[in-house]
Amino acid sequence: MAHLAQTAGLTDIQEEILSTVRAFVDKEIIPHAQSLEHGDTYPEDIVEGMKEMGLFGLTIPEEFGGLGESLLTYALVVEQIARGWMSVSGVINTHFIVAHMLKQHGTPEQQQKYLPRMATGEVRGSFSMSEPELGSDVAAIRTRATRTGSQAGAGFAISGQKMWLTNGGTSNLTAVLVKTDEGAEKAHHNLTTFLVEKPEGYGEVLPGLTIPGKIDKMGYKGVDTTEMVFDDFAIDADQVLGGVTGQGFRHMMDGVEVGRVNVAARACGIALRSFELAIGYAQQRKTFGKPIAEHQAIAFKLAEMATKVEAAHLMMVNAARLKDSGARNDVEAGMAKLIASEYCAEVTQEAFRIHGGYGYSKEYEIERLMREAPFLLIGEGTSEIQKTIISRGLLRDYRSRG
């Protein structure tokens, strides 16, 4: 094995895409990530480069102008981009989730309206489930859409506050999960996903729709994270995803399921980069007359780190391939996200320790990775949520017959 995180059984096209992306990361992302991250600067030039490569349309079907590639291809691309700078992968993650939801659940009119422009990056997607007091209890959503007429085709008025929108200011299409009055006994059946078109920017971008300024974060800089505030925001009925209310929870969970594979891929990318930095530094830094890599304490750390990188990568690939096959992958996606995010935090911390005092300096890349890795323990559901999903799936599949 020459390098870690290699994937067997890829097509020639997949290999070519990954080779191109890897070269782009090494040339256009890694050399600039430090200065952009420290300045909390949006990576405009990098985003334009990704548009030119067709990455915004990577999984969008060819009939809509995309490349029609699989979730596996996308996950491997994200792994490489996150290896360069996780924030860049965040730029395309929510876009990909919205495109997936449109592809799987949108009406033909919605697909034709948005997917061709999403493939070029002209339309950029974000999505929102969370609210300031919501946490993981999606059924407790308070943001509400009220019908504004009784006839067919009547619109809605949305009021409420959404939280933690990645690309909230730089996107122009947001899939928003809100409550509608369906009269259903189960709270999840009273939720609807709306496709909200808006201009890029901050402040009151449309009557009744405000995007406050960027939330200042410990890491995950450059990419914007915002709130979204609705105050009797008027929206047409044809902006309901799939054209039917009450299906929003199902639509969002499908999107989050592929999002968990994406977060696992991001964690794999950061862990891989942390290992690369650690093993490179350990062969250059000398103590007691020899490189620290030759000291057993460091050598054992590197062995454990490499094993964790490889294990996380394999679980991520397995979850992606299951989803691509059409099989249910809620358990496998949860497992991949759980182990990849936890191992990422552990590998990054070990790399930080190997760097010693230099790891605490902002001049060294590992300092940035130390601030980025914790986000993955939270994004698309905490480790505790993943364990809940995994255990429920196991109990479902191993239900006692006695």
Side-chain angles (χ1 to χ4, degrees):
M1 182 178 67
H3 294 285
L4 297 177
Q6 300 300 300
T7 309
L10 298 181
T11 66
D12 290 342
I13 292 176
Q14 287 174 315
E15 293 282 10
E16 183 178 349
I17 290 172
L18 284 176
S19 176
T20 302
V21 170
R22 194 177 297 113
F24 179 78
V25 168
D26 289 340
K27 182 179 179 182
E28 304 296 339
I29 297 182
I30 290 177
H32 307 290
Q34 288 294 90
S35 60
L36 290 170
E37 199 272 347
H38 290 166
D40 198 8
T41 304
Y42 190 78
E44 292 280 2
D45 292 342
I46 293 172
V47 170
E48 288 302 314
M50 292 195 298
K51 284 183 182 179
E52 293 176 9
M53 295 167 65
L55 295 187
F56 282 92
L58 189 62
T59 62
I60 293 174
E62 292 180 4
E63 63 185 286
F64 297 111
L67 299 180
E69 275 296 325
S70 63
L71 175 59
L72 174 62
T73 306
Y74 180 79
L76 295 175
V77 165
V78 166
E79 182 180 43
Q80 285 301 315
I81 291 175
R83 173 180 154 265
W85 183 20
M86 185 181 73
S87 293
V88 178
S89 65
V91 171
I92 57 174
N93 177 38
T94 58
H95 176 87
F96 161 70
I97 291 175
V98 176
H100 173 83
M101 291 166 63
L102 276 163
K103 180 177 66 174
Q104 296 298 115
H105 308 292
T107 65
E109 293 78 15
Q110 290 169 345
Q111 292 172 344
Q112 194 58 54
K113 180 179 181 181
Y114 293 118
L115 288 178
R117 291 185 294 149
M118 292 186 80
T120 64
E122 176 189 350
V123 169
R124 303 255 296 282
S126 59
F127 82 107
S128 174
M129 291 191 298
S130 189
E131 296 183 1
E133 299 180 8
L134 185 61
S136 301
D137 185 8
V138 178
I141 281 176
R142 295 181 180 180
T143 301
R144 183 179 297 273
T146 306
R147 295 180 190 274
T148 55
S150 58
Q151 298 183 2
F156 293 81
I158 302 177
S159 290
Q161 184 178 2
K162 308 301 287 186
M163 192 71 177
W164 305 120
L165 279 80
T166 300
N167 300 312
T170 50
S171 62
N172 46 20
L173 177 67
T174 305
V176 183
L177 187 64
V178 304
K179 184 174 289 186
T180 51
D181 269 330
E182 307 300 324
E185 292 184 9
K186 294 185 176 181
H188 297 85
H189 296 165
N190 291 307
L191 300 175
T192 299
T193 299
F194 283 86
L195 301 169
V196 177
E197 285 191 65
K198 67 176 187 64
E200 297 178 31
Y202 303 93
E204 188 172 10
V205 294
L206 288 172
L209 176 58
T210 299
I211 308 294
K214 293 164 55 176
I215 297 170
D216 193 16
K217 308 181 296 288
M218 176 177 76
Y220 203 27
K221 303 280 189 175
V223 63
D224 48 298
T225 304
T226 74
E227 301 173 65
M228 177 178 267
V229 182
F230 296 94
D231 184 11
D232 280 334
F233 174 71
I235 189 167
D236 294 336
D238 59 9
Q239 294 303 108
V240 172
L241 179 63
V244 180
T245 58
Q247 301 296 310
F249 181 76
R250 180 172 63 87
H251 297 159
M252 279 285 180
M253 288 304 101
D254 184 29
V256 168
E257 200 169 278
V258 298
R260 286 185 178 124
V261 175
N262 173 282
V263 172
R266 284 199 260 181
C268 289
I270 290 180
L272 178 59
R273 183 59 179 166
S274 296
F275 174 80
E276 290 174 348
L277 293 171
I279 199 168
Y281 183 84
Q283 293 174 83
Q284 296 170 5
R285 177 81 165 94
K286 292 183 178 181
T287 62
F288 304 101
K290 61 182 179 181
I292 62 173
E294 295 182 17
H295 295 292
Q296 189 179 73
I298 301 299
F300 280 10
K301 282 183 184 291
L302 293 171
E304 291 177 3
M305 291 163 67
T307 302
K308 289 175 179 179
V309 169
E310 192 69 7
H313 174 83
L314 291 170
M315 289 196 74
M316 178 270 290
V317 167
N318 179 61
R321 280 180 163 152
L322 272 176
K323 188 71 172 178
D324 284 333
S325 74
R328 185 172 183 174
N329 82 332
D330 55 336
V331 171
E332 290 79 8
M335 287 179 170
K337 195 276 178 183
L338 171 65
I339 199 169
S341 61
E342 293 287 350
Y343 278 178
C344 174
E346 293 171 14
V347 169
T348 304
Q349 187 173 86
E350 292 295 351
F352 171 77
R353 289 179 172 182
I354 287 172
H355 278 76
Y358 289 103
Y360 208 64
S361 167
K362 284 185 175 292
E363 293 182 17
Y364 280 71
E365 195 175 337
I366 192 62
E367 181 272 340
R368 169 172 60 83
L369 300 182
M370 276 290 291
R371 289 185 287 104
E372 291 178 341
F375 169 77
L376 300 170
L377 297 169
I378 301 168
E380 308 298 0
T382 63
S383 291
E384 289 71 26
I385 289 296
Q386 305 313 316
K387 292 173 185 178
T388 300
I389 293 167
I390 294 164
S391 61
R392 286 176 179 173
L394 293 173
L395 290 170
R396 177 189 69 224
D397 295 339
Y398 285 83
R399 193 174 301 279
S400 173
R401 305 299 182 195

